[in-house]
Each structure stands twice: as structure tokens, then as C-alpha cells.
Amino acid sequence: MSTTDGSAPPPGAADDGRTGAGNGRDAIVRAARRAFTLRPYAEVTMRGIAAAAGVSPSLIVKRFGSKEALFNTVADFGTAADELFAAPPPELGRHLVLTMVELRDRLQGDPLLRVVFSLGIEDERTLLRARFREQVTGRLAATLTGPDAGLRAELIAGQLLGLGATLSLHRPDGASAHASAEHLADLYAPGLQRLVDGT
């Protein structure tokens, strides 16, 4: 854990971000995602994020520059969308479920849900919704063929958010917490695939 006065963290803390293939940066982003989800933007501090991430505040400044830049990183859904949509349409339904579960495990949190439902002020929520529409729903709609592509993309995004909410709500003891990603895909993907296909 780092100190909150800006001094370097104790030996063994991930203060340079170079250990474990980017663990320092990943820890900062995870801590920032949690902070911006749970508190309004104005109440989030770089020191608080640093303490939660186990790094020094100076490392966050070095890596991201400012709180605004860090918020913009957390509010970017493009990287998650790259992975979620990296499959051809006939395989996309199953790929979406498997990738959503994998991203949640790797990122230690939902790549879409946590930030979309941030408790921030209206301007922040508006920005997040606009980015989500552009980077997730709009991008997906552009890849779909057939009628109602925009509507189907919104419904697919809603299904993904629902999956993330279900997995969060029922952890650690719910049935979904003990189901394999493959089994979840067996049950959940056919509905997504029907929306992808437009049938």
C-alpha cells in the first residue's frame, strides 16, 4: 500500500508499474474504475486512487498526467469493444459471452457495467452514455446486416449489461458464479446470436 502523502510506497509495492506485465498501470485503472463508479468525479482524488492501487500518486501523474486524463481512460470502451466484437457474425453470440466472462476475470470487474452506471454528476453520465453509444452500440450496429440493425445492437448491448449485472449480483455463491464460461455461453449465446442474425 502506498502512503497518502505522495511519498514512495514501501518496498514490494507496485510503484513502477513494470512488474507483472503492466500490473502497475492495470492496478491504477482498476482502482480508478472502482472510484469513479462509486463516487462523483469531484470526490475522487488521485491520492485515494493511488492508495487503492498500491502505487504512489506521482506514478499516476507520470502515467496519466491528470485526473481528467485518467477518467477519460476509464471511460473509454473501445478496447473492450475491440475484444468483444472480434468474431465473424455467425460466431459472434458465443464469442460475446465468452469474451465478457474472460474480460471480467482479467480486469477484475465488468468492462462495461461498472462505468456505465457511475454515480457521477449528470455531465459525466452524459459523456459515458455518449461514449458507450459511439464505441459499443454504434460500432456494433454498423457491423450488423438486415433490418433494425440499430435496435438489435441496442438489445445486444442490453443483454451484455444484463449478463454483467447477473454475474456481479450472484457472486460469490450464486449458480452463475460456479458455471463455466462455456456453459454460460451454451445457455446465453443463442439469444444473442438471434439478435445478431436478425431472425
Side-chain angles (χ1 to χ4, degrees):
M1 223 36 179
S2 71
T3 61
T4 57
D5 61 2
S7 62
D15 66 339
D16 63 2
R18 290 176 296 199
T19 59
N23 284 345
R25 185 184 190 284
D26 293 346
I28 292 167
V29 171
R30 282 195 301 270
R33 185 182 293 116
R34 284 192 298 270
F36 289 124
T37 298
L38 297 174
R39 292 189 299 281
Y41 179 89
E43 295 178 11
V44 175
T45 66
M46 298 283 262
R47 289 186 184 203
I49 292 170
V55 301
S56 66
S58 61
L59 177 64
I60 300 181
V61 173
K62 178 180 177 183
R63 287 289 179 89
F64 296 95
S66 66
K67 185 172 83 166
E68 180 180 4
L70 181 55
F71 175 80
N72 285 330
T73 298
V74 170
D76 183 5
F77 303 103
T79 302
D82 287 343
E83 297 190 49
L84 285 166
F85 303 147
E91 303 167 16
L92 187 57
R94 187 172 192 85
H95 175 81
L96 286 169
V97 177
L98 295 175
T99 304
M100 190 74 169
V101 173
E102 192 274 328
L103 284 172
R104 286 175 54 83
D105 290 343
R106 182 173 10 121
L107 300 176
Q108 297 180 13
D110 193 289
L112 305 178
L113 187 70
R114 290 176 148 252
V115 181
V116 171
F117 293 112
S118 170
L119 298 178
I121 62 174
E122 184 59 32
D123 286 348
E124 296 151 32
R125 290 195 298 269
T126 299
L127 170 65
L128 291 169
R129 286 193 208 102
R131 286 202 178 162
F132 188 86
R133 284 194 301 268
E134 174 190 349
Q135 297 174 347
V136 179
T137 313
R139 179 174 169 183
L140 178 58
T143 68
L144 299 177
T145 59
D148 298 318
L151 175 59
R152 286 157 46 214
E154 290 178 8
L155 293 172
I156 291 167
Q159 294 270 12
L160 291 175
L161 292 172
L163 175 61
T166 297
L167 295 175
S168 295
L169 182 64
H170 297 290
R171 286 190 175 182
D173 299 321
S176 59
H178 301 290
S180 69
E182 292 290 339
H183 188 50
L184 287 171
D186 289 342
L187 295 172
Y188 207 79
L192 286 172
Q193 191 62 48
R194 281 193 293 274
L195 288 168
V196 171
D197 296 338
T199 57

